Amino acid sequence: MYLSRYIQYLNLPSIPQHIIDSLILDVSQHHQHNNAKQHGPYTWSDYCTETLDQWCKENISNEMYYGLQLMTSDVPVHQDFETQIKINYIIDPGGADVATSFYDDRSNKLASYCIEPNRWHIFKANTHHGVSNITTTRISVTAKIF
């Protein structure tokens, strides 16, 4: 029997370290950028990500636009309305026991994952979910699939 899952790992190439090293990971610099979208502890940004976006288009999918997710503390349970499925690559999980949990509403937990860094995964973003136990900045690459 197939169990319902809310993330699935993908066997795609890892982002080269020299590209990760070229990224600006200071959240305050992203907040100053015009395209940054901030919602509480969550920021999406494409500030200085041209090399990352080009590599991802050449090696993952040229149909998507890649940016950074930066989470400075726990992200409350929410549901993405503009995105059904995302592809993510965790660069820094934000702590040792960071958990991404999924809910059938805002309180009944269905599943929880400690997502492995440096691996691509797809993610059901239109399901209620939240991120807990963040102790440092969680940094990931993300793109909308649908």
Side-chain angles (χ1 to χ4, degrees), residues 6-7 41-42 69 71 73-80 88 90 93 97-115 123-134 138:
Y6 300 91
I7 70 155
Y42 172 89
Q69 288 181 329
M71 299 176 191
S73 63
D74 292 358
V75 175
V77 176
H78 66 286
Q79 186 176 14
D80 294 15
N88 291 335
I90 305 290
D97 298 312
V98 174
T100 302
S101 301
F102 293 84
Y103 302 83
D104 65 358
D105 53 29
R106 293 189 176 270
S107 60
N108 186 27
K109 189 184 293 186
L110 300 170
S112 189
Y113 306 90
C114 288
I115 301 172
F123 174 87
K124 287 187 180 181
N126 63 346
T127 302
H128 284 98
H129 59 281
V131 182
S132 59
N133 304 324
I134 294 176
R138 178 184 176 115

Short mmCIF file of all heavy atoms in Angstrom, two decimals, residues 6-7 41-42 69 71 73-80 88 90 93 97-115 123-134 138:
data_model
loop_
_atom_site.label_atom_id
_atom_site.label_comp_id
_atom_site.label_asym_id
_atom_site.label_seq_id
_atom_site.Cartn_x
_atom_site.Cartn_y
_atom_site.Cartn_z
N TYR A 6 3.97 14.06 1.69
CA TYR A 6 3.84 15.48 1.41
C TYR A 6 5.13 16.08 0.86
O TYR A 6 5.14 17.19 0.37
CB TYR A 6 3.36 16.22 2.66
CG TYR A 6 2.03 15.66 3.07
CD1 TYR A 6 1.94 14.59 3.97
CD2 TYR A 6 0.86 16.12 2.49
CE1 TYR A 6 0.72 14.04 4.29
CE2 TYR A 6 -0.37 15.57 2.81
CZ TYR A 6 -0.42 14.53 3.71
OH TYR A 6 -1.64 13.97 4.02
N ILE A 7 6.23 15.32 0.99
CA ILE A 7 7.46 15.63 0.27
C ILE A 7 7.94 14.34 -0.39
O ILE A 7 7.64 13.25 0.08
CB ILE A 7 8.57 16.22 1.16
CG1 ILE A 7 9.15 15.16 2.10
CG2 ILE A 7 8.12 17.45 1.91
CD1 ILE A 7 10.55 15.46 2.52
N PRO A 41 8.56 35.72 9.54
CA PRO A 41 9.93 35.20 9.53
C PRO A 41 10.36 34.62 8.19
O PRO A 41 11.48 34.16 8.04
CB PRO A 41 9.88 34.10 10.59
CG PRO A 41 8.46 33.61 10.53
CD PRO A 41 7.64 34.84 10.24
N TYR A 42 9.48 34.66 7.18
CA TYR A 42 9.75 34.06 5.88
C TYR A 42 10.04 35.15 4.85
O TYR A 42 9.32 36.14 4.75
CB TYR A 42 8.52 33.25 5.42
CG TYR A 42 8.61 32.75 4.00
CD1 TYR A 42 9.18 31.52 3.72
CD2 TYR A 42 8.12 33.50 2.93
CE1 TYR A 42 9.27 31.04 2.43
CE2 TYR A 42 8.20 33.04 1.63
CZ TYR A 42 8.78 31.81 1.39
OH TYR A 42 8.87 31.35 0.11
N GLN A 69 14.59 31.00 -0.32
CA GLN A 69 13.72 31.11 0.84
C GLN A 69 14.63 31.28 2.04
O GLN A 69 15.58 30.51 2.22
CB GLN A 69 12.90 29.83 1.07
CG GLN A 69 11.81 29.58 0.10
CD GLN A 69 11.07 28.29 0.47
OE1 GLN A 69 11.65 27.36 1.01
NE2 GLN A 69 9.81 28.25 0.16
N MET A 71 14.29 31.68 6.23
CA MET A 71 13.41 31.64 7.39
C MET A 71 14.24 31.91 8.63
O MET A 71 15.18 31.17 8.92
CB MET A 71 12.73 30.27 7.51
CG MET A 71 11.88 29.91 6.33
SD MET A 71 11.23 28.22 6.51
CE MET A 71 10.58 27.97 4.86
N SER A 73 12.99 32.29 11.83
CA SER A 73 12.42 31.62 13.00
C SER A 73 11.27 30.74 12.50
O SER A 73 11.01 30.68 11.29
CB SER A 73 11.94 32.64 14.05
OG SER A 73 10.89 33.43 13.53
N ASP A 74 10.61 30.06 13.42
CA ASP A 74 9.54 29.14 13.03
C ASP A 74 8.50 29.83 12.15
O ASP A 74 8.16 31.00 12.37
CB ASP A 74 8.85 28.57 14.27
CG ASP A 74 9.75 27.65 15.07
OD1 ASP A 74 10.90 27.42 14.65
OD2 ASP A 74 9.29 27.15 16.11
N VAL A 75 8.00 29.09 11.18
CA VAL A 75 6.97 29.60 10.28
C VAL A 75 5.65 28.94 10.68
O VAL A 75 5.55 27.71 10.69
CB VAL A 75 7.33 29.29 8.80
CG1 VAL A 75 6.21 29.71 7.88
CG2 VAL A 75 8.63 29.99 8.43
N PRO A 76 4.65 29.73 11.05
CA PRO A 76 3.39 29.15 11.51
C PRO A 76 2.68 28.35 10.42
O PRO A 76 2.97 28.51 9.22
CB PRO A 76 2.55 30.35 11.93
CG PRO A 76 3.31 31.57 11.57
CD PRO A 76 4.65 31.17 11.04
N VAL A 77 1.75 27.52 10.85
CA VAL A 77 0.97 26.72 9.91
C VAL A 77 0.23 27.65 8.96
O VAL A 77 -0.41 28.62 9.37
CB VAL A 77 -0.03 25.81 10.68
CG1 VAL A 77 -0.91 25.04 9.70
CG2 VAL A 77 0.72 24.85 11.59
N HIS A 78 0.36 27.33 7.68
CA HIS A 78 -0.26 28.13 6.62
C HIS A 78 -0.44 27.24 5.39
O HIS A 78 0.00 26.09 5.37
CB HIS A 78 0.60 29.34 6.28
CG HIS A 78 1.92 28.96 5.66
ND1 HIS A 78 2.96 28.43 6.39
CD2 HIS A 78 2.36 28.99 4.37
CE1 HIS A 78 3.97 28.16 5.59
NE2 HIS A 78 3.64 28.49 4.35
N GLN A 79 -1.04 27.79 4.39
CA GLN A 79 -1.27 27.10 3.12
C GLN A 79 -0.91 28.06 2.00
O GLN A 79 -1.34 29.21 2.01
CB GLN A 79 -2.74 26.70 3.06
CG GLN A 79 -3.14 25.86 1.90
CD GLN A 79 -4.62 25.47 2.01
OE1 GLN A 79 -5.38 26.01 2.80
NE2 GLN A 79 -5.02 24.53 1.20
N ASP A 80 -0.11 27.61 1.03
CA ASP A 80 0.22 28.45 -0.12
C ASP A 80 -0.97 28.43 -1.09
O ASP A 80 -1.45 27.35 -1.43
CB ASP A 80 1.46 27.93 -0.84
CG ASP A 80 2.72 28.04 0.01
OD1 ASP A 80 2.60 28.25 1.24
OD2 ASP A 80 3.81 27.91 -0.55
N ASN A 88 12.23 22.22 -3.89
CA ASN A 88 13.11 22.89 -2.93
C ASN A 88 14.43 22.15 -2.81
O ASN A 88 14.50 20.94 -3.04
CB ASN A 88 12.46 22.93 -1.54
CG ASN A 88 11.27 23.84 -1.45
OD1 ASN A 88 11.15 24.78 -2.21
ND2 ASN A 88 10.39 23.56 -0.52
N ILE A 90 17.33 22.35 0.25
CA ILE A 90 17.75 22.94 1.52
C ILE A 90 19.27 23.10 1.52
O ILE A 90 20.00 22.11 1.39
CB ILE A 90 17.32 22.05 2.71
CG1 ILE A 90 15.81 21.78 2.70
CG2 ILE A 90 17.78 22.67 4.03
CD1 ILE A 90 14.93 22.94 3.00
N PRO A 93 19.45 23.76 6.97
CA PRO A 93 18.13 23.47 7.53
C PRO A 93 17.70 24.43 8.63
O PRO A 93 16.51 24.47 8.99
CB PRO A 93 18.26 22.04 8.06
CG PRO A 93 19.71 21.81 8.23
CD PRO A 93 20.41 22.70 7.24
N ASP A 97 17.16 20.01 14.54
CA ASP A 97 15.89 19.27 14.62
C ASP A 97 14.74 20.03 13.96
O ASP A 97 13.60 19.97 14.43
CB ASP A 97 15.55 18.99 16.09
CG ASP A 97 16.58 18.11 16.75
OD1 ASP A 97 16.95 17.08 16.16
OD2 ASP A 97 17.03 18.47 17.86
N VAL A 98 15.02 20.73 12.89
CA VAL A 98 13.97 21.50 12.21
C VAL A 98 13.00 20.53 11.55
O VAL A 98 13.40 19.60 10.86
CB VAL A 98 14.57 22.47 11.17
CG1 VAL A 98 13.48 23.16 10.37
CG2 VAL A 98 15.46 23.49 11.88
N ALA A 99 11.71 20.75 11.78
CA ALA A 99 10.67 19.86 11.25
C ALA A 99 9.70 20.64 10.38
O ALA A 99 9.27 21.74 10.74
CB ALA A 99 9.91 19.19 12.38
N THR A 100 9.38 20.07 9.22
CA THR A 100 8.32 20.58 8.36
C THR A 100 7.15 19.64 8.56
O THR A 100 7.26 18.44 8.29
CB THR A 100 8.77 20.61 6.89
OG1 THR A 100 9.94 21.43 6.79
CG2 THR A 100 7.67 21.18 6.00
N SER A 101 6.04 20.17 9.05
CA SER A 101 4.87 19.35 9.37
C SER A 101 3.68 19.74 8.52
O SER A 101 3.52 20.91 8.17
CB SER A 101 4.53 19.50 10.86
OG SER A 101 5.62 19.11 11.67
N PHE A 102 2.86 18.76 8.21
CA PHE A 102 1.68 18.94 7.37
C PHE A 102 0.43 18.59 8.17
O PHE A 102 0.46 17.69 9.01
CB PHE A 102 1.79 18.06 6.13
CG PHE A 102 2.90 18.49 5.22
CD1 PHE A 102 4.20 18.07 5.44
CD2 PHE A 102 2.65 19.34 4.16
CE1 PHE A 102 5.24 18.49 4.62
CE2 PHE A 102 3.68 19.76 3.33
CZ PHE A 102 4.98 19.34 3.56
N TYR A 103 -0.66 19.30 7.87
CA TYR A 103 -1.89 19.20 8.64
C TYR A 103 -3.09 19.09 7.71
O TYR A 103 -3.08 19.66 6.61
CB TYR A 103 -2.06 20.45 9.52
CG TYR A 103 -0.90 20.66 10.47
CD1 TYR A 103 0.27 21.28 10.04
CD2 TYR A 103 -0.98 20.24 11.78
CE1 TYR A 103 1.34 21.48 10.90
CE2 TYR A 103 0.08 20.43 12.66
CZ TYR A 103 1.23 21.05 12.21
OH TYR A 103 2.29 21.23 13.05
N ASP A 104 -4.16 18.41 8.17
CA ASP A 104 -5.37 18.37 7.35
C ASP A 104 -6.20 19.63 7.57
O ASP A 104 -7.05 19.98 6.78
CB ASP A 104 -6.19 17.11 7.59
CG ASP A 104 -6.76 16.99 8.98
OD1 ASP A 104 -6.51 17.87 9.82
OD2 ASP A 104 -7.47 15.99 9.23
N ASP A 105 -5.97 20.31 8.65
CA ASP A 105 -6.48 21.64 8.92
C ASP A 105 -5.35 22.34 9.66
O ASP A 105 -4.20 21.99 9.47
CB ASP A 105 -7.80 21.60 9.71
CG ASP A 105 -7.68 20.77 10.98
OD1 ASP A 105 -6.57 20.70 11.56
OD2 ASP A 105 -8.69 20.18 11.40
N ARG A 106 -5.60 23.26 10.51
CA ARG A 106 -4.50 23.94 11.18
C ARG A 106 -4.03 23.24 12.46
O ARG A 106 -3.09 23.69 13.11
CB ARG A 106 -4.89 25.38 11.50
CG ARG A 106 -5.06 26.19 10.24
CD ARG A 106 -5.21 27.66 10.58
NE ARG A 106 -5.28 28.43 9.36
CZ ARG A 106 -4.23 28.94 8.74
NH1 ARG A 106 -3.04 28.76 9.23
NH2 ARG A 106 -4.39 29.63 7.65
N SER A 107 -4.66 22.12 12.85
CA SER A 107 -4.29 21.51 14.13
C SER A 107 -4.04 20.00 14.10
O SER A 107 -3.35 19.48 14.95
CB SER A 107 -5.36 21.82 15.18
OG SER A 107 -6.61 21.30 14.76
N ASN A 108 -4.59 19.28 13.13
CA ASN A 108 -4.45 17.82 13.08
C ASN A 108 -3.25 17.43 12.21
O ASN A 108 -3.35 17.43 10.99
CB ASN A 108 -5.74 17.18 12.55
CG ASN A 108 -5.69 15.68 12.62
OD1 ASN A 108 -4.99 15.10 13.44
ND2 ASN A 108 -6.43 15.03 11.72
N LYS A 109 -2.12 17.08 12.87
CA LYS A 109 -0.89 16.79 12.15
C LYS A 109 -1.01 15.47 11.39
O LYS A 109 -1.38 14.45 11.94
CB LYS A 109 0.30 16.73 13.10
CG LYS A 109 1.64 16.63 12.39
CD LYS A 109 2.81 16.48 13.36
CE LYS A 109 3.00 17.73 14.18
NZ LYS A 109 4.23 17.64 15.03
N LEU A 110 -0.66 15.51 10.11
CA LEU A 110 -0.69 14.32 9.25
C LEU A 110 0.69 13.68 9.12
O LEU A 110 0.81 12.46 9.04
CB LEU A 110 -1.19 14.70 7.85
CG LEU A 110 -2.59 15.29 7.76
CD1 LEU A 110 -2.84 15.85 6.37
CD2 LEU A 110 -3.61 14.24 8.13
N ALA A 111 1.73 14.51 9.05
CA ALA A 111 3.09 14.00 8.85
C ALA A 111 4.09 15.10 9.22
O ALA A 111 3.76 16.28 9.20
CB ALA A 111 3.30 13.60 7.39
N SER A 112 5.30 14.67 9.55
CA SER A 112 6.36 15.59 9.88
C SER A 112 7.67 15.05 9.33
O SER A 112 7.91 13.84 9.39
CB SER A 112 6.44 15.76 11.40
OG SER A 112 7.32 16.80 11.74
N TYR A 113 8.51 15.94 8.80
CA TYR A 113 9.76 15.55 8.16
C TYR A 113 10.90 16.46 8.61
O TYR A 113 10.72 17.67 8.70
CB TYR A 113 9.67 15.68 6.63
CG TYR A 113 8.51 14.96 6.02
CD1 TYR A 113 7.28 15.59 5.85
CD2 TYR A 113 8.64 13.64 5.59
CE1 TYR A 113 6.21 14.92 5.27
CE2 TYR A 113 7.58 12.97 5.01
CZ TYR A 113 6.36 13.61 4.85
OH TYR A 113 5.30 12.95 4.28
N CYS A 114 12.05 15.88 8.87
CA CYS A 114 13.30 16.62 8.98
C CYS A 114 13.96 16.49 7.61
O CYS A 114 14.55 15.45 7.30
CB CYS A 114 14.19 16.05 10.07
SG CYS A 114 13.58 16.39 11.73
N ILE A 115 13.79 17.49 6.78
CA ILE A 115 14.21 17.41 5.38
C ILE A 115 15.73 17.47 5.29
O ILE A 115 16.36 18.34 5.88
CB ILE A 115 13.55 18.52 4.56
CG1 ILE A 115 12.02 18.39 4.66
CG2 ILE A 115 14.01 18.46 3.11
CD1 ILE A 115 11.26 19.56 4.04
N PHE A 123 7.34 19.30 -2.95
CA PHE A 123 6.70 19.69 -1.72
C PHE A 123 5.26 20.11 -2.01
O PHE A 123 5.03 20.93 -2.90
CB PHE A 123 7.54 20.87 -1.20
CG PHE A 123 7.05 21.59 -0.01
CD1 PHE A 123 7.39 21.14 1.25
CD2 PHE A 123 6.28 22.73 -0.14
CE1 PHE A 123 6.96 21.83 2.36
CE2 PHE A 123 5.85 23.41 0.97
CZ PHE A 123 6.20 22.96 2.24
N LYS A 124 4.29 19.53 -1.30
CA LYS A 124 2.88 19.90 -1.48
C LYS A 124 2.59 21.20 -0.73
O LYS A 124 2.18 21.21 0.42
CB LYS A 124 1.96 18.79 -0.97
CG LYS A 124 1.94 17.58 -1.85
CD LYS A 124 0.86 16.61 -1.36
CE LYS A 124 0.81 15.38 -2.22
NZ LYS A 124 -0.25 14.46 -1.76
N ALA A 125 2.81 22.30 -1.41
CA ALA A 125 2.70 23.62 -0.78
C ALA A 125 1.27 24.06 -0.53
O ALA A 125 1.03 24.94 0.29
CB ALA A 125 3.41 24.66 -1.65
N ASN A 126 0.30 23.45 -1.21
CA ASN A 126 -1.09 23.85 -1.00
C ASN A 126 -1.77 23.08 0.12
O ASN A 126 -2.96 23.23 0.36
CB ASN A 126 -1.89 23.74 -2.30
CG ASN A 126 -1.97 22.32 -2.83
OD1 ASN A 126 -1.25 21.43 -2.40
ND2 ASN A 126 -2.86 22.12 -3.78
N THR A 127 -1.02 22.25 0.84
CA THR A 127 -1.49 21.58 2.05
C THR A 127 -1.05 22.43 3.24
O THR A 127 0.04 23.00 3.22
CB THR A 127 -0.87 20.17 2.16
OG1 THR A 127 -1.20 19.42 0.99
CG2 THR A 127 -1.33 19.44 3.40
N HIS A 128 -1.88 22.53 4.28
CA HIS A 128 -1.47 23.27 5.47
C HIS A 128 -0.14 22.70 5.97
O HIS A 128 0.01 21.49 6.11
CB HIS A 128 -2.52 23.15 6.58
CG HIS A 128 -3.73 23.98 6.35
ND1 HIS A 128 -4.88 23.49 5.80
CD2 HIS A 128 -3.93 25.29 6.58
CE1 HIS A 128 -5.77 24.46 5.70
NE2 HIS A 128 -5.22 25.56 6.17
N HIS A 129 0.83 23.60 6.23
CA HIS A 129 2.15 23.18 6.69
C HIS A 129 2.80 24.30 7.49
O HIS A 129 2.41 25.46 7.40
CB HIS A 129 3.04 22.79 5.50
CG HIS A 129 3.26 23.88 4.52
ND1 HIS A 129 2.32 24.24 3.56
CD2 HIS A 129 4.31 24.73 4.34
CE1 HIS A 129 2.78 25.24 2.84
NE2 HIS A 129 3.99 25.56 3.29
N GLY A 130 3.77 23.91 8.28
CA GLY A 130 4.54 24.86 9.07
C GLY A 130 5.93 24.30 9.31
O GLY A 130 6.18 23.11 9.11
N VAL A 131 6.83 25.17 9.75
CA VAL A 131 8.21 24.76 10.02
C VAL A 131 8.52 25.16 11.46
O VAL A 131 8.28 26.29 11.86
CB VAL A 131 9.19 25.43 9.03
CG1 VAL A 131 10.61 24.96 9.29
CG2 VAL A 131 8.79 25.16 7.59
N SER A 132 9.06 24.20 12.22
CA SER A 132 9.33 24.45 13.65
C SER A 132 10.77 24.07 14.01
O SER A 132 11.45 23.37 13.25
CB SER A 132 8.35 23.66 14.52
OG SER A 132 8.44 22.28 14.26
N ASN A 133 11.20 24.57 15.15
CA ASN A 133 12.52 24.30 15.73
C ASN A 133 13.66 24.98 15.00
O ASN A 133 14.81 24.54 15.08
CB ASN A 133 12.79 22.79 15.83
CG ASN A 133 11.72 22.06 16.60
OD1 ASN A 133 11.18 22.60 17.57
ND2 ASN A 133 11.39 20.86 16.17
N ILE A 134 13.39 26.08 14.30
CA ILE A 134 14.45 26.83 13.63
C ILE A 134 15.24 27.59 14.70
O ILE A 134 14.66 28.33 15.49
CB ILE A 134 13.87 27.80 12.58
CG1 ILE A 134 13.23 27.02 11.44
CG2 ILE A 134 14.95 28.75 12.05
CD1 ILE A 134 12.54 27.88 10.39
N ARG A 138 17.22 29.35 8.20
CA ARG A 138 17.03 28.24 7.26
C ARG A 138 17.11 28.82 5.86
O ARG A 138 16.42 29.81 5.55
CB ARG A 138 15.67 27.59 7.49
CG ARG A 138 15.37 26.46 6.53
CD ARG A 138 13.96 25.94 6.78
NE ARG A 138 13.57 24.93 5.86
CZ ARG A 138 13.32 23.66 6.20
NH1 ARG A 138 13.44 23.29 7.45
NH2 ARG A 138 12.95 22.81 5.28
#
